[in-house]
Amino acid sequence: TRWSRPQGERLKVLWTERRSSTKPCPPQSASSAMKPRITLAETQLADGNILSLQEHDGRKSLLVHGQQICGPATRAAEEELARLACAPFRPARQPQIWFAGLGLGHTLAAVAKELPQKRANFIVAEPLAAIPDWHRTHIPDSPLLTEPRVTLENDCGPQALIKHAGLLHAILVHLDASPTGPRNRTWVDERRWVSAAFEALQQGGLLAIAGSRHVANLTRRLQGSGFEVAEFTVPSSPNAKKPRFLPIWLARKGKAAD
């Protein structure tokens, strides 16, 4: 993949050469569709909306207004995001990976698999205390509980990133599942946050972003903060006959250090 310079043209790279190694969620059968949805937990967000953890046919989802923001519909993109973001850092002795939010732990679990180094550090910034609590209560196989390399923080704003200035190999964000900023906008919409992410990364580090839909001008805004940007699309369900294609942005801070 070639990387576009900050003033260069936007580059889109279709992900066609490799199907995701993760197992896609199988299509619902008639018997599955008849199984009830069980609400395991709920909490009120700062904007007044209700976030709920639901289970259906053994699969868990996070929903707001009945819309899934994290679960089977996002898992393939989260795991491919992890694969792409971690690929340059497999040789690193002590990779430092920072996550904007915990979600259901799909991205974290995929990163832990991609980077087996014992001295790796996975920093999960989750400001909503209910999310880790739900993992402890309802998700016994969560990497938050089983992965000793995880550090949990409660702030994913610009000041939290500045504390890691020049140290991080990668920052991972899912636009739907990650926490929002003070104006209920995604953090990547905040110029201060993007600048802080740039400063927090090592040379050659990646800000890796996934979403459920294309975001106009995101590549240009990332380039305006000094990143070199490549765009990818990945199938929401790699084995589906007509899958939706979801966007991923990889924004790199210069060249890797020698």
Side-chain angles (χ1 to χ4, degrees):
T1 303
R2 293 185 297 107
W3 295 86
S4 56
R5 296 290 177 182
Q7 286 78 34
E9 297 180 354
R10 186 166 69 184
L11 174 66
K12 283 192 175 182
V13 182
L14 290 180
W15 179 84
T16 57
E17 74 281 2
R18 179 185 184 275
R19 287 183 180 271
S20 173
S21 61
T22 59
K23 293 182 179 179
C25 298
Q28 284 191 346
S29 63
S31 60
S32 173
M34 294 176 64
K35 293 182 179 179
R37 291 189 178 274
I38 302 170
T39 298
L40 301 175
E42 290 184 334
T43 190
Q44 187 171 27
L45 302 174
D47 61 3
N49 289 322
I50 300 299
L51 174 68
S52 62
L53 172 65
Q54 292 188 1
E55 184 174 20
H56 176 248
D57 196 21
R59 296 180 294 176
K60 295 179 177 66
S61 303
L62 292 175
L63 299 95
V64 176
H65 285 311
Q67 298 295 315
Q68 184 182 138
I69 63 168
C70 186
T74 65
R75 185 164 190 165
E78 290 185 78
E79 292 176 344
E80 186 63 12
L81 178 72
R83 187 188 74 82
L84 291 170
C86 292
F89 310 117
R90 292 194 183 104
R93 292 184 178 181
Q94 192 174 354
Q96 305 283 318
I97 312 297
W98 192 94
F99 301 79
L102 175 59
L104 291 173
H106 297 155
T107 307
L108 175 58
V111 167
K113 182 178 179 180
E114 293 287 335
L115 299 175
Q117 296 93 318
K118 291 182 179 180
R119 298 180 62 191
N121 188 20
F122 306 137
I123 305 158
V124 179
E126 177 52 69
L128 189 62
I131 299 293
D133 288 345
W134 292 352
H135 278 249
R136 297 181 186 105
T137 304
H138 302 290
I139 312 177
D141 60 345
S142 166
L144 180 66
L145 310 179
T146 62
E147 177 54 68
R149 297 173 294 171
V150 172
T151 301
L152 186 62
E153 299 182 349
N154 61 8
D155 182 10
C156 59
Q159 292 304 314
L161 283 168
I162 291 298
K163 293 191 304 181
H164 303 286
L167 298 176
L168 301 178
H169 289 81
I171 297 169
L172 278 69
V173 182
H174 193 285
L175 296 180
D176 299 294
S178 294
T180 56
R183 293 182 286 179
N184 204 30
R185 300 167 59 186
T186 62
W187 279 113
V188 297
D189 288 333
E190 301 286 343
R191 179 182 287 270
R192 286 182 58 242
W193 190 92
V194 175
S195 296
F198 186 88
E199 294 301 323
L201 290 167
Q202 299 182 10
Q203 284 296 315
L206 291 175
L207 170 58
I209 304 166
S212 61
R213 63 188 63 83
H214 182 74
V215 179
N217 298 320
L218 178 55
T219 293
R220 185 176 301 174
R221 287 188 279 121
L222 293 170
Q223 290 172 340
S225 293
F227 286 104
E228 301 172 7
V229 183
E231 293 185 28
F232 299 78
T233 58
V234 299
S236 58
S237 181
N239 286 349
K241 292 183 179 179
K242 295 183 179 180
R244 291 177 57 230
F245 282 85
L246 309 176
I248 289 178
W249 295 261
L250 294 185
R252 186 174 66 186
K253 178 181 178 178
K255 296 181 179 180
D258 295 332

